Amino acid sequence: MICITVQFRLFAQDPTFKDRDTSSLRWVMTGGDMVTTDVLLKAREMFPHSRVGTGHGMTEVLGWRTDRKHEDVPEYHGILAAGVPDAGTSARICDEKGNILGRGESGELHLGGLSMITSYLGGEQPEAFYRDSRGSWVRTGDRALMSDAGAVFIIGRIKDIIKKTGISLSPAVIESVLNAIDGVEAAVIGIPDAEYGEVPMTIVKHQPTVDLQGVVLDKLGPDHALQSVVTLADLGLAEFPINQTGKVMKITLRDSVEKSRGGV
């Protein structure tokens, strides 16, 4: 069974799930987004008869997976590696100009290889597709980095990156720290700042009982310092706005923040 991470959260919230027989499942994989340690541990608790691992892939090209023990899966600030590309799949990390970056540097994940399609039905070739001397590639829109051992970490979406003066911050990295706190459900966005261009703000479902700004400062350092913490109620919202795949719609959150500050 292949699930996106939000599905595990929905399973966990279903009061009937604990009574269901899942012993026929031999292998369970989660992907389609970054995977944090708490999600994987919860999935292994929910599917005790299965090997549970992480992975990544697209309709356009195969990706990779890992089903090693949690202790053997590398992590980056609580985000687990998606794994090492399968045979026949090529992966590289590129900057905004398409230059290939080195191991440990974050940028956009580009995929290629023998399994990659060359066009969509009807011959349509979207802008994300391109060719070079090494073959055909697709820009995934995922921000990622590759370790020295070749493991790939998905650390967010390029369009969500916060561009603070001199550095690029991944909201997903900050969210992984915040959502690891018991009782906290948080989303991080970038908001305009006269001095730094953009700075991170977090929106939480409920009023926190701990100092979230202090936690982020301690875990990630001053570059990731939160400008502010607000609740959904502060924005006039009852729930996080989500799309059909269960992902938080950051653009809608930004609009709500702007309106709460007297914007258009």
Side-chain angles (χ1 to χ4, degrees):
M1 181 175 71
I2 300 176
C3 296
I4 58 176
T5 53
V6 70
Q7 287 176 290
F8 284 124
R9 298 188 190 279
L10 293 174
F11 290 153
Q13 294 169 10
D14 185 340
T16 69
F17 186 85
K18 64 181 185 303
D19 299 321
R20 299 185 181 243
D21 181 9
T22 62
S23 59
S24 63
L25 281 171
R26 294 288 178 263
W27 180 72
V28 177
M29 184 183 78
T30 180
D33 201 351
M34 71 165 193
V35 181
T36 53
T37 302
D38 63 310
V39 171
L40 189 64
L41 292 178
K42 186 63 178 178
R44 287 180 171 161
E45 177 185 323
M46 295 164 62
F47 298 97
H49 305 283
S50 310
R51 292 193 304 174
V52 180
T54 58
H56 185 277
M58 300 173 64
T59 302
E60 294 84 355
V61 60
L62 292 179
W64 50 81
R65 65 182 176 88
T66 175
D67 56 9
R68 294 177 293 178
K69 294 180 180 179
H70 161 62
E71 292 79 7
D72 299 329
V73 180
E75 66 175 68
Y76 173 82
H77 294 303
I79 298 173
L80 297 177
V84 177
D86 288 330
T89 299
S90 302
R92 63 191 186 187
I93 312 297
C94 299
D95 64 16
E96 295 178 354
K97 297 180 179 179
N99 299 312
I100 301 174
L101 300 174
R103 302 289 174 97
E105 297 182 272
S106 66
E108 184 175 20
L109 174 64
H110 293 197
L111 294 176
L114 300 175
S115 67
M116 182 177 166
I117 65 172
T118 56
S119 65
Y120 292 129
L121 188 65
E124 178 189 354
Q125 287 188 305
E127 293 182 2
F129 284 39
Y130 69 96
R131 285 189 60 85
D132 64 12
S133 60
R134 300 186 183 186
S136 297
W137 300 87
V138 59
R139 302 177 183 90
T140 66
D142 286 323
R143 190 170 186 84
L145 60 84
M146 188 180 296
S147 72
D148 289 338
V152 177
F153 297 81
I154 308 298
I155 58 175
R157 295 290 291 169
I158 291 293
K159 64 183 180 181
D160 292 333
I161 291 302
I162 300 168
K163 296 183 178 180
K164 190 175 179 180
T165 303
I167 53 175
S168 295
L169 304 178
S170 169
V173 170
I174 304 174
E175 288 166 353
S176 71
V177 170
L178 295 174
N179 289 324
I181 302 171
D182 189 37
V184 173
E185 187 174 343
V188 175
I189 62 172
I191 58 172
D193 181 84
E195 183 176 359
Y196 294 106
E198 275 190 315
V199 290
M201 164 194 273
T202 188
I203 298 96
V204 292
K205 191 168 185 177
H206 305 291
Q207 187 68 41
T209 58
V210 297
D211 177 12
L212 300 186
Q213 290 171 301
V215 171
V216 170
L217 193 63
D218 180 59
K219 296 285 186 181
L220 299 176
D223 284 342
H224 291 77
L226 295 173
Q227 191 267 353
S228 58
V229 177
V230 300
T231 67
L232 288 175
D234 294 331
L235 304 179
L237 300 173
E239 299 288 345
F240 284 109
I242 59 174
N243 60 20
Q244 290 181 329
T245 62
K247 295 181 181 179
V248 174
M249 296 189 291
K250 299 291 183 71
I251 292 177
T252 303
L253 276 183
R254 288 192 191 96
D255 290 343
S256 296
V257 168
E258 187 174 339
K259 289 178 181 177
S260 74
R261 294 185 162 200
V264 177

